[in-house]
Amino acid sequence: MLKSIFTQKLKTYKYICFLLIFITVALACNHNNVTLTLDAGDFQFSQKTIESFFLRGSIDKIVIPETTESSLFSSVDQIAFGKDDDIYLADLFSQKTVYKFDRLGKFVCKYGRIGQGPGEYSAPIAFDKDEDGRVLLLADTKIVVYNKNGELEKETNIYELGGDIKNIGDEIYTRFYVTRRGGSNNNNILKVYDRNLEFKRGLFQNDPRLNTYRFLPRHSMAPLGRRIVFTDVYDLAINIYDPKSKVCQRINFPSENDKLASVWNKRHFTEADRSTIRDNIHRFNDVFSIRETIYLTEIIRNKKEVNFWLLDLGRKYIEVYPLLDLIGDGKKATASIRFDYIVGAYNRGLIFVIDDVNKFEQIRKQFPQFANIQFGNNDNPMLVFYRLDGFPSAPGGS
């Protein structure tokens, strides 16, 4: 009898404990972010040749942005598109501003300038646009919003080292690396603002190694539908965050970074340590999205290798291509691929930039689409829209 009572009480106790755990987990999922981790073993990889990449697609169009006194720029560091296929591009380091051209390349207006006043800044870092044609610019000390005509609408000060900015729906996602406020614990990877630049919430904590040495990627965020993809700074990993479900999928891939373990454990870095990190880091340096496919640039510094990946998250399938400069000897690994560099993506493929006349002449001999294109030293860099057909290939396909 006593045993039966004890057994019954034990069952009741277990049920109550289970119920409390379930409620706790449910509340946690409703108010916090959940991270699900995948690794390379969950994906099927297919190594491809760069030749096969150029056989699977074609050049959609070629645009040379109009050159005027107000629209001359040196490089394309970021690119975005409007509802009418208007082209927004940023020269972040030379002209330090954002330009708007129509779909044919005719200059429309520009956004932002160097200075100390409202809407002005000393160093732009990244930009994006929203569905209303507003330009969202992340600078060194502020986030600025310009209306579609290039006029200042709103700005807010920031106190972190910024990296990237993306608009998703009615929210603005900003990538930060480290805070400039001493002793602050609010060191989030992502900070979310509403349309009026009111801070809403912070997401995830930054890698503490950033406090010791900052070696930052070039493009670290991309929208994937209503989700956001962001890369790690020091590891070969990506994260896909869904604001609706508050679930983040983290995907880890094997890397060469174990060689740096002894360096990271040091309290203070020497110049030799910094060089070791710079010369041996293995990570993703760019991330873009093409519909539901993720494009990644993989850098293996110690092997002098640069590859790009096309990742189908739904089918867990990845194609890896070597980033080879085929205009040269066909073997040298460089940061360019056929054209000078990849600067972004549009809904059908990738965007290459050509800004060198000599290289353009070599390319024109191989691609008939360039036969009637005129391009000179005084022109703005050329945008090449390269459409990818049926990407990535189905597992077992060509």
Side-chain angles (χ1 to χ4, degrees):
M1 181 70 178
L2 187 61
K3 184 177 180 181
S4 176
I5 294 173
F6 177 78
T7 302
Q8 185 64 35
K9 285 185 177 181
L10 184 61
K11 288 181 179 179
T12 303
Y13 175 75
K14 286 182 178 179
Y15 174 78
I16 293 173
C17 287
F18 174 79
L19 185 62
L20 288 172
I21 291 171
F22 176 81
I23 293 171
T24 302
V25 171
L27 289 172
C29 290
N30 284 331
H31 297 286
N32 298 307
N33 300 295
V34 178
T35 300
L36 305 175
T37 303
L38 303 173
D39 59 36
D42 296 302
F43 288 81
Q44 179 181 339
F45 285 77
S46 179
Q47 192 79 30
K48 301 285 185 176
T49 64
I50 199 65
E51 291 86 353
S52 66
F53 174 77
F54 286 102
L55 290 173
R56 73 182 303 169
S58 59
I59 294 173
D60 233 350
K61 65 177 181 177
I62 300 166
V63 177
I64 303 178
E66 181 183 19
T67 301
T68 70
E69 290 185 0
S70 301
S71 66
L72 184 64
F73 60 90
S74 299
S75 64
V76 183
D77 300 302
Q78 282 193 322
I79 194 164
F81 300 96
K83 291 181 179 179
D84 298 322
D85 292 330
D86 293 330
I87 301 168
Y88 298 76
L89 57 86
D91 179 341
L92 299 174
F93 302 103
S94 177
Q95 300 301 316
K96 299 186 177 181
T97 191
V98 178
Y99 299 87
K100 179 182 178 181
F101 300 87
D102 69 15
R103 62 186 181 84
L104 300 176
K106 184 176 177 58
F107 176 63
V108 178
C109 65
K110 61 182 178 180
Y111 306 81
R113 63 183 181 184
I114 300 301
Q116 302 295 321
E120 298 176 338
Y121 44 78
S122 58
I125 296 170
F127 91 99
D128 199 11
K129 57 159 294 295
D130 66 13
E131 295 176 355
D132 295 328
R134 304 189 310 164
V135 165
L136 321 169
L137 188 139
L138 173 65
D140 52 342
T141 60
K142 61 175 72 172
I143 302 171
V144 189
V145 177
Y146 304 96
N147 67 21
K148 62 182 181 180
N149 299 317
E151 301 162 337
L152 172 65
E153 185 173 302
K154 194 170 184 65
E155 64 179 35
T156 187
N157 293 328
I158 57 172
Y159 303 94
E160 294 86 8
L161 174 63
D164 214 338
I165 186 168
K166 295 297 175 192
N167 178 76
I168 304 245
D170 292 329
E171 295 184 324
I172 299 169
Y173 283 73
T174 308
R175 174 74 185 262
F176 289 116
Y177 294 115
V178 291
T179 180
R180 294 189 177 102
R181 286 176 168 172
S184 173
N185 293 320
N186 191 21
N187 193 17
N188 297 110
I189 293 177
L190 304 179
K191 290 191 175 180
V192 186
Y193 298 82
D194 66 15
R195 287 176 52 85
N196 296 315
L197 293 186
E198 295 295 328
F199 175 75
K200 294 180 67 175
R201 62 188 182 277
L203 298 170
F204 315 107
Q205 288 296 304
N206 261 313
D207 192 323
R209 291 174 291 186
L210 280 166
N211 296 319
T212 311
Y213 182 57
R214 301 166 191 173
F215 184 69
L216 306 179
R218 189 167 54 180
H219 300 101
S220 63
M221 287 201 310
L224 190 68
R226 293 293 180 176
R227 294 170 292 174
I228 192 83
V229 182
F230 60 98
T231 62
D232 268 26
V233 178
Y234 298 116
D235 293 314
L236 197 68
I238 62 170
N239 308 274
I240 302 104
Y241 176 67
D242 185 344
K244 185 176 181 179
S245 66
K246 296 184 180 180
V247 171
C248 183
Q249 283 186 306
R250 177 178 172 82
I251 309 174
N252 298 309
F253 299 99
S255 73
E256 303 279 333
N257 289 324
D258 56 339
K259 300 183 176 83
L260 296 172
S262 60
V263 180
W264 288 124
N265 291 331
K266 292 185 177 182
R267 185 181 296 272
H268 301 290
F269 278 6
T270 65
E271 286 304 313
D273 295 328
R274 298 177 192 275
S275 296
T276 298
I277 294 171
R278 184 183 64 249
D279 296 338
N280 290 275
I281 199 74
H282 184 188
R283 69 162 186 213
F284 296 119
N285 206 45
D286 300 281
V287 57
F288 304 120
S289 62
I290 314 165
R291 300 197 294 270
E292 289 299 312
T293 296
I294 300 171
Y295 164 91
L296 297 156
T297 302
E298 174 195 16
I299 295 180
I300 314 174
R301 294 294 294 269
N302 65 332
K303 294 183 178 179
K304 297 182 180 180
E305 291 182 9
V306 183
N307 303 308
F308 77 81
W309 298 20
L310 293 176
L311 185 154
D312 186 320
L313 185 63
R315 290 185 294 171
K316 293 186 173 59
Y317 178 69
I318 298 171
E319 291 181 354
V320 181
Y321 296 85
L323 277 172
L324 299 181
D325 184 354
L326 296 181
I327 304 304
D329 57 16
K331 297 179 181 178
K332 182 180 179 183
T334 69
S336 64
I337 166 176
R338 183 69 85 166
F339 312 120
D340 280 352
Y341 53 91
I342 299 171
V343 72
Y346 66 117
N347 62 354
R348 302 174 71 179
L350 297 168
I351 300 166
F352 300 83
V353 172
I354 302 172
D355 59 8
D356 180 84
V357 175
N358 293 329
K359 198 164 192 176
F360 168 70
E361 291 301 327
Q362 297 178 32
I363 293 169
R364 181 152 62 176
K365 296 174 184 177
Q366 302 181 37
F367 288 86
Q369 293 94 331
F370 292 95
N372 298 319
I373 299 292
Q374 299 298 317
F375 181 66
N377 287 316
N378 296 323
D379 290 320
N380 279 326
M382 180 188 303
L383 307 177
V384 181
F385 292 70
Y386 186 78
R387 184 181 71 247
L388 289 171
D389 298 321
F391 60 92
S393 301
S398 59

